[in-house]
C-alpha cells in the first residue's frame, strides 16, 4: 500500500519549490532592470542621432558629467569633463554631419538603483567610422527612471574596423 511522501519529504519539496520560484523571480527582475538600463542608453544615442537635445536631456541628470579621455598631441591622454548642455552643443553642431554612435557587447550590472554599462562603441559620420573605443556608463534610477549620471570613454581613430551593421 502506497502511503505517499512523509511530512518531512513534503516540507523539503515545498522548500525546494519555493527557492526555485524565488530564483526565477530574481532572474526576471534582473533581466527587466538590464533591459531598462540599455533602453535608456540606446534612447540617448537615438536622440544624439536625431540632434534632439530635449530628448537627450531626458536621459541625463542635471549633475551628469561626460568624462572623456582624448589623445594629447604629445602622446598619452588628457581628461575632458563636460556638462550635459556642453556635450549636447558639441554633438548637435549644425556645421557637422550628425553623429551616429553604436555600441555592442554591453556588459550591464544592476544593484538596486545603480547600474553600469561597459560596451565597445563606434562613431560614424555620413556612414564612415570616425573613431571607436569603450564607453562606461553609470546610471541611477531616479523617480523610477534610469538616468545617466556619468559617461566616460576611451578614444581611438585606428583599429575600429568597418561600420557595424545597424540592428
Amino acid at each position: 500500500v502506497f502511503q505517499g511522501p512523509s511530512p518531512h519529504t513534503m516540507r523539503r519539496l515545498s522548500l525546494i519549490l519555493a527557492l526555485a520560484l524565488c530564483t526565477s523571480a530574481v532572474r526576471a527582475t534582473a533581466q527587466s532592470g538590464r533591459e531598462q538600463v540599455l533602453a535608456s542608453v540606446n534612447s540617448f544615442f537615438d536622440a544624439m542621432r536625431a540632434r534632439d537635445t530635449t530628448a537627450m536631456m531626458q536621459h541625463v541628470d542635471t549633475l551628469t558629467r561626460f568624462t572623456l579621455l582624448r589623445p594629447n598631441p604629445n602622446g598619452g591622454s588628457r581628461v575632458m569633463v563636460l556638462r550635459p548642455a556642453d556635450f549636447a552643443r558639441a554633438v548637435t553642431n549644425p556645421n557637422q554631419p550628425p553623429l551616429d554612435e553604436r555600441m555592442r557587447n554591453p556588459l550591464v550590472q544592476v544593484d538596486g538603483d545603480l547600474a553600469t554599462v561597459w560596451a565597445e562603441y563606434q562613431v560614424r559620420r555620413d556612414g564612415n567610422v570616425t573613431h571607436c573605443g569603450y564607453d562606461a556608463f553609470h546610471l541611477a534610477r531616479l523617480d523610477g527612471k534610469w538616468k545617466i549620471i556619468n559617461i566616460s570613454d576611451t578614444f581611438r581613430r585606428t583599429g575600429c574596423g568597418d561600420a557595424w551593421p545597424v540592428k
Side-chain angles (χ1 to χ4, degrees):
V1 171
F2 178 72
Q3 295 182 359
S6 70
H8 177 71
T9 301
M10 286 303 292
R11 280 192 300 272
R12 185 178 288 170
L13 287 172
S14 295
L15 180 60
I16 290 170
L17 180 60
L19 287 173
L21 290 173
C22 287
T23 301
S24 294
V26 167
R27 279 192 197 126
T29 300
Q31 184 64 20
S32 173
R34 180 183 188 280
E35 290 169 2
Q36 291 169 358
V37 166
L38 285 175
S40 182
V41 172
N42 285 321
S43 293
F44 179 79
F45 285 153
D46 291 343
M48 276 178 51
R49 276 189 289 284
R51 296 182 178 196
D52 185 342
T53 56
T54 302
M56 286 174 61
M57 293 304 126
Q58 291 175 357
H59 297 286
V60 298
D61 185 71
T62 57
L63 298 175
T64 296
R65 294 293 177 261
F66 296 79
T67 310
L68 313 175
L69 294 176
R70 294 297 179 261
N72 260 334
N74 303 331
S77 294
R78 62 188 166 98
V79 176
M80 295 174 53
V81 178
L82 301 174
R83 293 178 181 253
D86 299 326
F87 181 82
R89 261 192 306 281
V91 300
T92 59
N93 181 343
N95 299 320
Q96 297 279 337
L99 284 177
D100 180 8
E101 183 166 348
R102 305 286 174 159
M103 69 176 170
R104 69 178 180 186
N105 302 323
L107 174 61
V108 181
Q109 300 289 328
V110 179
D111 184 42
D113 291 332
L114 179 67
T116 62
V117 178
W118 172 266
E120 186 177 10
Y121 80 87
Q122 190 180 69
V123 173
R124 304 165 221 175
R125 285 190 193 264
D126 285 335
N128 299 312
V129 176
T130 62
H131 63 280
C132 62
Y134 280 85
D135 279 329
F137 293 87
H138 284 98
L139 295 94
R141 188 171 23 219
L142 303 170
D143 298 323
K145 294 181 182 178
W146 286 104
K147 300 263 187 166
I148 298 166
I149 56 175
N150 187 68
I151 301 174
S152 299
D153 71 4
T154 62
F155 180 98
R156 65 179 179 277
R157 294 192 186 276
T158 61
C160 298
D162 295 331
W164 303 331
V166 176
K167 296 179 184 178

